[in-house]
Amino acid sequence: MSHSSITHQDILKAFEFRHATKEFDPAKKIPKEDFELILEAARLSPSSVGYEPWKFLVIQNPELREKLREVSWGAQGQLPTASHFVVILARTIKDTKYDSDYVKNQMLNVKKFPPELFDKIKERYKSFQEEDLNLLENERTMLDWAGKQTYIAMANMMTTAALIGIDSCPIEGFHFEKVQKLLKEENLLEDDHLAISVMVAFGYRKNEPRPKTRKDMKDIVQWIE
C-alpha cells in the first residue's frame, strides 16, 4: 500500500490549528464543496454496532438561529456569525432498541445483512443492550449511548474541517429541554424518534486564538507491555 500524500506534520498542523472558535467572520462563507466534504466525513463515521443513530440539521435560517441562541448559552458568539451551524440529533430508544423497526431496516436494507443472519445477530444486540452495558435501564441511558456515537461523527467533522483550513466549535452549552421543545415545535424530531445531542459551528475565525495548552503525553498515556 502506498503512503498517502498527507504527512504526519500535515495532520499535527491541523490539530494545532483547530480550536474552539467563539466568534467567526460573518462575511466569510464556506464553499459548498468544502462543507459537503465535512458532511461526508460525518456520514462515513463509525458507530457502535453500525446503527448510525444520528441526524444532522444544518441550521442556516436566521430566525431559527436566533431562537436557538436564546436557549444556548454556549453559542452566543457562534450562532450569529458561523458560516454553517449544525445541530446533531441522536436517535431515541424508539429507534435504537434492538427490536425496533429502525434497527431492522438498518441491518437489512442499509447494511444488507441476510435475514437469517440478522435474526441471529439480533440476540447479540439484545444481550449487548440488556446485560453487557445495561443500556435499557431507562430512555436517557439509551439516548446517552446514542449521543456517544454522534460525538465520533462530530470529531471527524471538525478534524476534516481543520485539514482544509476551516474553523469549528463544538457546543454543549444549551438547555436540553428548551432546545428539545423548540425543535419539536419546528417538527424536526420525527415524532420523538430524535433528540438533541450536541451542536457544532463552522466558519472562519475572526480573531487568532491563544496558544494551545494540553497535558504532557506521559500524564495521559500508560503503556501496558
Side-chain angles (χ1 to χ4, degrees), residues 26-193:
K28 293 183 179 178
K29 300 302 177 188
I30 298 170
K32 182 173 182 286
E33 61 272 20
D34 286 349
F35 198 72
E36 285 176 353
L37 177 67
I38 292 168
L39 290 175
E40 186 68 358
R43 189 182 74 89
L44 293 174
S45 293
S47 58
S48 184
V49 292
Y51 278 10
E52 300 177 55
W54 47 50
K55 187 171 184 179
F56 304 88
L57 303 179
V58 185
I59 310 292
Q60 302 300 80
N61 180 279
E63 290 80 14
L64 183 51
R65 280 200 189 190
E66 177 55 27
K67 289 178 185 177
L68 273 174
R69 193 187 65 78
E70 292 171 4
V71 291
S72 305
W73 58 267
Q76 295 300 295
Q78 296 90 338
L79 271 164
T81 63
S83 170
H84 291 66
F85 194 90
V86 183
V87 170
I88 306 180
L89 307 178
R91 296 210 165 267
T92 66
I93 195 170
K94 288 185 175 185
D95 286 346
T96 52
K97 193 164 183 279
Y98 63 88
D99 59 356
S100 70
D101 289 341
Y102 174 88
V103 168
K104 185 175 183 179
N105 178 70
Q106 179 72 7
M107 296 305 153
L108 295 181
N109 298 324
V110 178
K111 297 183 76 66
K112 308 295 185 186
F113 280 16
E116 61 275 14
L117 175 59
F118 173 62
D119 290 339
K120 289 179 183 176
I121 208 166
K122 189 164 72 169
E123 289 304 307
R124 165 42 58 201
Y125 297 154
K126 182 175 187 289
S127 63
F128 170 68
Q129 293 185 350
E130 288 182 345
E131 300 166 21
D132 295 347
L133 295 187
N134 296 316
L135 294 175
L136 295 179
E137 286 181 3
N138 56 60
E139 290 188 10
R140 184 57 189 256
T141 308
M142 281 291 279
L143 182 60
D144 287 345
W145 172 74
K148 286 180 181 180
Q149 318 314 314
T150 71
Y151 277 58
I152 300 172
M154 180 175 69
N156 286 339
M157 294 171 81
M158 292 191 297
T159 299
T160 300
L163 283 164
I164 56 176
I166 293 170
D167 289 298
S168 62
C169 186
I171 297 158
E172 283 189 321
F174 54 84
H175 191 290
F176 178 87
E177 294 296 344
K178 290 178 180 178
V179 172
Q180 194 72 352
K181 181 174 182 288
L182 172 60
L183 296 177
K184 188 169 185 174
E185 288 170 353
E186 299 286 334
N187 294 312
L188 295 171
L189 299 181
E190 295 180 9
D191 294 324
D192 297 322
H193 284 253

